[in-house]
Amino acid sequence: MVAAAAILPELATQLVVPVAAAVGIAFAVLQWVLVSKVKVAPEPRGEGGSAAGGGAGAGGKDGASEYLIEEEEGLNDHNVVLKCAEIQTAISEGATSFLFTEYKYAGGFMTVFAVLIFVFLGSIEGFSTKSQPCHYSVGKTCKPALANAAFSTIAFVLGAVTSLVSGFLGMKIATYANARTTLEARKGVGKAFITAFRSGAVMGFLLAASGLFVLYVAINLFGLYYGDDWEGLFEAITGYGLGGSSMALFGRVGGGIYTKAADVGADLVGKVERNIPEDDPRNPAVIADNVGDNVGDIAGMGSDLFGSYAESSCAALVVASISSFGINHQFTPMMYPLLISSVGIIACLITTLFATDFFEVKEVDQIEPALKKQLIISTAVMTVGIALVSWLGLPYTFTIFNFGAQKTVHSWQLFLCVAVGLWAGLVIGFITEYYTSNAYSPVQDVADSCRTGAATNVIFGLALGYKSVIIPIFAIAFSIFLSFSLAAMYGVAVAALGMLSTIATGLAIDAYGPISDNAGGIAEMAGMSHRIRERTDALDAAGNTTAAIGKGFAIGSAALVSLALFGAFVSRAGITTVDVLTPNVFIGLLVGAMLPYWFSAMTMKSVGSAALKMVEEVRRQFNTIPGLMEGTAKPDYATCVKISTDASIKEMIPPGALVMLTPLIVGTFFGVETLSGVLAGALVSGVQIAISASNTGGAWDNAKKYIEAGASEHAKSLGPKGSDCHKAAVIGDTIGDPLKDTSGPSLNILIKLMAVESLVFAPFFATYGGILFKYL
């Protein structure tokens, strides 16, 4: 029987994917050029007597006139710009130095693990170069295990390098844009918003397009060797996802420890003990705090979402290769996951224009709605794009591998799988916003609880986090049920890809937050007008909420990706059923469910230890440097930067080792059944803890900001800054810092990374695993 073909021919598919990637990179470069027009250097005064701080001419996008606030208030514009440039350089140098140090350790790990992959997978057939019987296609021969070991290792290195480059470029973009956003805030909130958002878009499109392009090139180059052996080709490609996520783990954990050690130290001594404002230049930890925003929230997040994208693509490709697409060598349907990502770049490009060109942000209260519209518009446009790809890129009827059998599926069913993942992501995003934005009652209730001190604030915050898990879990559960019912594990994999299909917009919104936060810090340190600080605070407050939404997306997609990888692992390891009544599986479930707690304990303790050193150093400087509080002496910023750097590098290794070694130890000594239990347990408990931790921390942060802003009568009754109520809110915020920026975001990497690692090593575990049970 001749297999039904897709409408889109192979040649068109070969063009669409790289062209979409090229368009994404070109758009990122265009946004970079536009941001570069804002000059971080004093410019000569024009005839009209106005100092040009950069940017467009009068009557710009936000409708504000071109005059600068400094002129109105009699401040020296020349000195302000020089000061901004000096602070920007200090932040950029600190972030670059830290990432280079972190990447040295990550590079060493990458080398060791690459050798492990080659040795473990190559040993399956005794490093033989002879062809071996195919695992799924009975009666056919596939490429030797040694070749799979070599190509899996190459894919791992490719994924790891792409992940590191993604994080580094994101950090460079953010440190390039922070002072430019500050300077544009002198002309109006609209100009500052566009600068910050365009900078975020540079990172979003660069990462989405480069991830897609590298994967596409790897598939085509590997295909030159593998030929018709698509089963072996796409099994080797899974190394790409493993490389991406393993580097993301170090980026998230190392960056998270760095930023939160500095943040907690700066807040506890500066705000609570010394009653000085956030980002006050007298605070010795202020530069380290601003560096942390870039290495944790930008570089770590970039690597994290790249890892999710790589893994969801790899999970879908592995299942497709043993379905009718792979068996019949149908290239266009096989590339369906990459076509979704290609259309996603175009959909996000259209969406970005709504924020930067079609609609103007003129007032502070228009910032958050503009960012939320980005999510809604991208989801709506992408739904149409998915329908188009499903119609053109898939045959009407095909079969999908379903644990040993082939399930008949129609193209419209696959469209529903991707669409349900996409819209579930939006639901999770808005539920996250409801629980973390100070515009709604949950966060306002947390703020109100500060009346009676820090203890009640902590109780209310924890309760909010636990409650915020309910609807996201139902959304994930519904997505899994529907997508699995329609298209088995392939349906779950493309649902995860659907959730990540608008990654360019999601990253742009995510990166916007830390850029705005840095802009506010630079404004405070440069001694700029309080009106400018109000504008940057408004940008930052909106960014805080959207960052929480981004974390919701990342956790939701991680759950779906992990399940899809788990399904692929179970199939590859030759497990027919995962029976929880079997002791081997049940002990795995218990241990797996414990791992996220162990991991969280390690990361939080690391932040606490580093923060302790930071607090002691900041106190020492305030007590021993004469004139520091009066502003006549400069603090020693470098020592605080060194404390954060040393602590994060030292402390990121044990949590990383826990995640990377667990599947290897369990699979080798206890076998694939116990490992399947560990993966299931870690997935189930990890998702709940990650959502709860992220939302609790986000709520405490915004409760503090709610009191500080004093925008309503209720908020004014709790303030002002420095009141007992505000100090209780600051304590809640500092407790929440490691939850929302270190432990919570790192947990989604834990559940994905263990699953993809198990899949890569599945052939070895299936052959040699379970040493203890074999001999007991």
Side-chain angles (χ1 to χ4, degrees):
M1 182 180 137
V2 179
I7 296 171
L8 197 68
E10 180 178 336
L11 180 61
T13 306
Q14 290 279 24
L15 287 171
V16 165
V17 177
V19 166
V23 167
I25 291 168
F27 188 71
V29 171
L30 173 64
Q31 299 303 307
W32 176 279
V33 169
L34 291 169
V35 170
S36 300
K37 288 184 177 178
V38 181
K39 302 299 179 190
V40 189
E43 292 189 5
R45 291 178 176 271
E47 289 178 14
S50 73
K61 276 265 168 236
D62 61 352
S65 56
E66 190 67 13
Y67 75 84
L68 307 180
I69 288 175
E70 276 77 11
E71 293 173 347
E72 184 184 293
E73 300 191 353
L75 299 175
N76 189 325
D77 174 57
H78 183 275
N79 289 343
V80 165
V81 178
L82 283 179
K83 188 71 177 168
C84 285
E86 182 189 320
I87 297 162
Q88 180 195 39
T89 303
I91 293 170
S92 180
E93 285 174 355
T96 304
S97 170
F98 169 74
L99 285 186
F100 275 132
T101 308
E102 181 183 81
Y103 289 174
K104 278 181 196 169
Y105 286 84
F109 159 81
M110 182 173 71
T111 306
V112 171
F113 212 76
V115 172
L116 276 179
I117 293 170
F118 182 75
V119 171
F120 273 54
L121 297 185
S123 67
I124 294 168
E125 296 286 332
F127 297 98
S128 168
T129 54
K130 292 179 182 176
S131 296
Q132 58 179 340
C134 295
H135 182 75
Y136 297 102
S137 304
V138 182
K140 291 185 180 180
T141 55
C142 288
K143 297 295 181 185
L146 189 64
N148 283 359
F151 281 101
S152 293
T153 305
I154 293 166
F156 169 77
V157 173
L158 266 178
V161 170
T162 309
S163 181
L164 293 179
V165 170
S166 298
F168 186 77
L169 286 177
M171 178 278 295
K172 277 296 181 189
I173 292 156
T175 53
Y176 184 80
N178 51 16
R180 286 170 167 80
T181 304
T182 307
L183 293 172
E184 285 296 86
R186 299 176 303 166
K187 302 172 192 169
V189 73
K191 283 183 177 290
F193 170 79
I194 286 176
T195 302
F197 188 78
R198 278 198 168 125
S199 308
V202 176
M203 179 184 174
F205 282 92
L206 208 54
L207 190 145
S210 59
L212 173 66
F213 184 71
V214 173
L215 181 57
Y216 168 80
V217 170
I219 289 168
N220 279 280
L221 289 180
F222 285 19
L224 296 175
Y225 170 78
Y226 277 96
D228 289 342
D229 179 12
W230 284 17
E231 181 185 312
L233 165 61
F234 292 103
E235 190 173 295
I237 285 290
T238 55
Y240 184 68
L242 176 59
S245 257
S246 57
M247 293 302 106
L249 178 68
F250 289 106
R252 266 297 194 193
V253 174
I257 293 168
Y258 185 108
T259 181
K260 291 305 112 181
D263 200 359
V264 171
D267 281 359
L268 280 181
V269 183
K271 288 182 181 176
V272 177
E273 294 180 10
R274 294 285 174 169
N275 253 342
I276 59 175
E278 188 163 359
D279 296 315
D280 192 296
R282 293 172 291 177
N283 194 325
V286 73
I287 292 290
D289 187 8
N290 280 281
V291 168
D293 290 336
N294 295 291
V295 299
D297 295 344
I298 295 277
M301 174 194 63
S303 293
D304 179 7
L305 284 178
F306 164 75
S308 287
Y309 161 74
E311 284 163 331
S312 56
S313 300
C314 291
L317 290 166
V318 165
V319 179
S321 70
I322 51 176
S323 303
S324 64
F325 303 155
I327 294 165
N328 299 318
H329 296 95
Q330 297 173 293
F331 185 78
T332 297
M334 190 69 217
M335 292 294 106
Y336 182 66
L338 275 71
L339 287 170
I340 291 171
S341 301
S342 302
V343 172
I345 289 172
I346 307 303
C348 291
L349 192 155
I350 295 165
T351 306
T352 301
L353 296 176
F354 279 91
T356 58
D357 294 85
F358 299 157
F359 294 114
E360 300 173 6
V361 170
K362 294 179 181 176
E363 303 294 336
V364 164
D365 58 8
Q366 293 174 346
I367 299 168
E368 198 167 314
L371 293 171
K372 281 159 65 178
K373 278 176 193 165
Q374 284 287 294
L375 293 173
I376 297 165
I377 294 167
S378 63
T379 303
V381 173
M382 191 59 205
T383 305
V384 177
I386 296 164
L388 196 64
V389 168
S390 302
W391 174 52
L392 295 174
L394 295 171
Y396 181 68
T397 305
F398 46 90
T399 62
I400 294 293
F401 182 84
N402 182 25
F403 298 112
Q406 291 286 340
K407 179 183 174 76
T408 302
V409 179
H410 300 294
S411 56
W412 62 266
Q413 291 175 307
L414 222 47
F415 159 72
L416 285 179
C417 292
V418 185
V420 77
L422 178 66
W423 285 92
L426 191 68
V427 169
I428 293 169
F430 281 121
I431 290 299
T432 304
E433 186 218 5
Y434 174 72
Y435 280 105
T436 57
S437 170
N438 54 31
Y440 303 105
S441 60
V443 170
Q444 291 174 11
D445 289 345
V446 172
D448 192 67
S449 70
C450 295
R451 290 177 187 277
T452 47
T456 43
N457 180 27
V458 170
I459 293 166
F460 269 70
L462 288 172
L464 177 148
Y466 298 149
K467 195 176 177 184
S468 70
V469 171
I470 299 167
I471 296 175
I473 291 299
F474 278 123
I476 293 167
F478 176 74
S479 302
I480 292 168
F481 178 77
L482 185 67
S483 54
F484 188 86
S485 301
L486 293 173
M489 276 300 173
Y490 187 71
V492 177
V494 293
L497 208 55
M499 205 176 274
L500 291 164
S501 60
T502 54
I503 187 173
T505 295
L507 266 170
I509 293 170
D510 256 0
Y512 156 89
I515 291 168
S516 301
D517 192 1
N518 258 206
I522 290 170
E524 184 74 44
M525 284 185 275
M528 294 171 84
S529 159
H530 72 95
R531 288 167 61 192
I532 292 176
R533 184 70 216 224
E534 283 170 10
R535 287 173 180 176
T536 56
D537 279 352
L539 293 170
D540 181 25
N544 246 2
T545 302
T546 52
I549 293 172
K551 289 183 183 111
F553 264 96
I555 296 163
S557 62
L560 296 178
V561 169
S562 181
L563 181 60
L565 291 166
F566 174 70
F569 161 72
V570 167
S571 298
R572 184 62 186 85
I575 302 169
T576 49
T577 54
V578 179
D579 185 357
V580 295
L581 295 178
T582 309
N584 292 13
V585 176
F586 194 77
I587 60 169
L589 271 174
L590 283 175
V591 172
M594 171 273 295
L595 284 174
Y597 291 93
W598 189 0
F599 179 84
S600 297
M602 291 169 90
T603 51
M604 290 190 71
K605 181 88 182 293
S606 298
V607 172
S609 302
L612 193 66
K613 291 175 188 169
M614 188 67 75
V615 166
E616 287 170 350
E617 173 59 23
V618 175
R619 280 178 182 161
R620 183 194 69 77
Q621 291 198 32
F622 274 122
N623 292 332
T624 60
I625 298 177
L628 184 55
M629 272 302 286
E630 293 74 26
T632 55
K634 270 191 171 184
D636 177 10
Y637 297 127
T639 303
C640 290
V641 169
K642 189 175 187 306
I643 288 171
S644 265
T645 302
D646 292 349
S648 56
I649 296 299
K650 178 187 164 192
E651 299 285 354
M652 75 179 181
I653 295 167
L658 173 70
V659 177
M660 298 302 294
L661 294 179
T662 296
L664 290 178
I665 292 168
V666 174
T668 304
F669 292 102
F670 299 94
V672 289
E673 289 194 342
T674 305
L675 181 53
S676 66
V678 168
L679 296 178
L683 168 60
V684 169
S685 79
V687 171
Q688 328 273 345
I689 301 168
I691 295 172
S692 167
S694 292
N695 290 349
T696 293
W700 276 328
D701 191 356
N702 276 337
K704 176 200 73 176
K705 282 188 165 60
Y706 176 75
I707 294 170
E708 287 176 348
S712 66
E713 288 304 315
H714 176 243
K716 285 174 186 169
S717 71
L718 301 172
K721 288 183 183 180
S723 66
D724 287 343
C725 199
H726 177 246
K727 285 181 179 177
V730 171
I731 291 168
D733 177 36
T734 52
I735 296 168
D737 275 337
L739 287 173
K740 73 179 172 71
D741 290 320
T742 311
S743 298
S746 302
L747 280 171
N748 63 62
I749 302 176
L750 174 141
I751 59 176
K752 294 180 303 181
L753 185 49
M754 283 174 50
V756 74
E757 185 183 338
S758 301
L759 174 59
V760 169
F761 286 97
F764 176 82
F765 296 149
T767 308
Y768 297 117
I771 292 170
L772 287 181
F773 289 146
K774 280 178 184 174
Y775 299 106
L776 283 177

